[in-house]
Amino acid sequence: MNQATRESTPMDDRAGTASHSWIAPLLPGIPGLGWAEIRSAACELAQHGWAVLPGTYQLAEHGAWLGSPGAVTLEPIPGFGRASEPTTMAMAMEWWTRRPYSVLLACGAGINAVEVTATHGNRVLKELAGSAGGPVAVTPVGSWVFFVREDDVPLNPELVADAPGRWYASGSWIPLPPTRRDGLPYRWKVSPEATGWVLPTSSQLQSAFRTSLDGRAPS
């Protein structure tokens, strides 16, 4: 598949981004939403240099998407920071105190991502072996997302196309745990804490992809 540009929902569901600026008013606490968990996750990610941005959210399974007027799916909230700049912990605390926004990663600000099927993801993870593999998230549709340190080694698009999968770089965004979509969560297969917040290089990830695609990795 081709490199994603400004559309970064799971492989079977894509979303646009509104162009106008709008800031949600403060809301009182809403019980049962795991709001504290969401805010804590956003702050921790920001503390470790991840460029996280608020996204639309739902209060009920298959409910309306809230946080941005006219939103019909999961998408970034206009007017919060810049996707090209890291998010500070203070910014994350302020934003996620307003509402239980979804947590989105703005790719291209130091971290990129590759989304593949679970079958292929399992082979790649075994090939990377241990902390060198970095964090891995699982989407509500079952695909796996690998996060990679942005460096000067360009990704070979054929590797992603052959996986099959999608590449998320500058101009793209992707949801992070514990974001939910229609009642189903994004979750960590391998948490950032489990890898010491270490991300693989582009070379490491591409080497694992090549080996897996060649059929040399264990199934």
Side-chain angles (χ1 to χ4, degrees):
M1 300 183 186
N2 295 330
Q3 175 175 315
T5 55
R6 300 189 183 278
E7 49 181 33
S8 0
T9 52
M11 290 189 285
D12 66 344
D13 184 7
R14 307 186 179 185
T17 302
S19 59
H20 59 280
S21 177
W22 185 79
I23 303 297
L26 295 174
L27 284 182
I30 304 175
L33 289 178
W35 192 338
E37 178 189 7
I38 295 170
R39 183 172 62 184
S40 177
C43 288
E44 185 174 24
L45 288 160
Q47 184 180 21
H48 286 87
W50 291 49
V52 289
L53 295 173
T56 52
Y57 63 97
Q58 296 170 301
L59 296 183
E61 184 177 352
H62 303 297
W65 288 96
L66 306 175
S68 180
V72 295
T73 188
L74 179 59
E75 61 185 56
I77 303 293
F80 284 95
R82 297 180 180 179
S84 60
E85 299 177 354
T87 305
T88 66
M89 189 174 177
M91 292 163 64
M93 176 63 73
E94 178 186 354
W95 294 343
W96 275 273
T97 294
R98 291 177 176 270
R99 293 194 175 201
Y101 292 117
S102 299
V103 182
L104 310 179
L105 172 68
C107 298
I111 302 174
N112 292 327
V114 180
E115 182 180 1
V116 295
T117 63
T119 298
H120 188 66
N122 186 52
R123 295 198 302 267
V124 172
L125 184 60
K126 289 179 179 179
E127 183 62 28
L128 284 167
S131 61
V136 181
V138 179
T139 76
V141 298
S143 53
W144 288 20
V145 180
F146 289 80
F147 299 91
V148 60
R149 187 166 70 244
E150 190 175 34
D151 55 32
D152 58 357
V153 179
L155 182 88
N156 181 350
E158 293 182 0
L159 291 177
V160 179
D162 292 342
R166 294 184 66 198
W167 173 239
Y168 299 84
S170 180
S172 302
W173 55 269
I174 192 164
L176 297 172
T179 295
R180 301 180 71 88
R181 179 193 293 270
D182 293 328
L184 299 175
Y186 289 80
R187 57 184 177 82
W188 292 113
K189 175 71 176 178
V190 180
S191 70
E193 293 89 344
T195 67
W197 294 88
V198 175
L199 297 173
T201 65
S202 179
S203 295
Q204 288 174 318
L205 187 62
Q206 291 189 72
S207 177
F209 265 63
R210 289 190 188 95
T211 301
S212 178
L213 291 171
D214 286 345
R216 294 193 294 264
S219 60

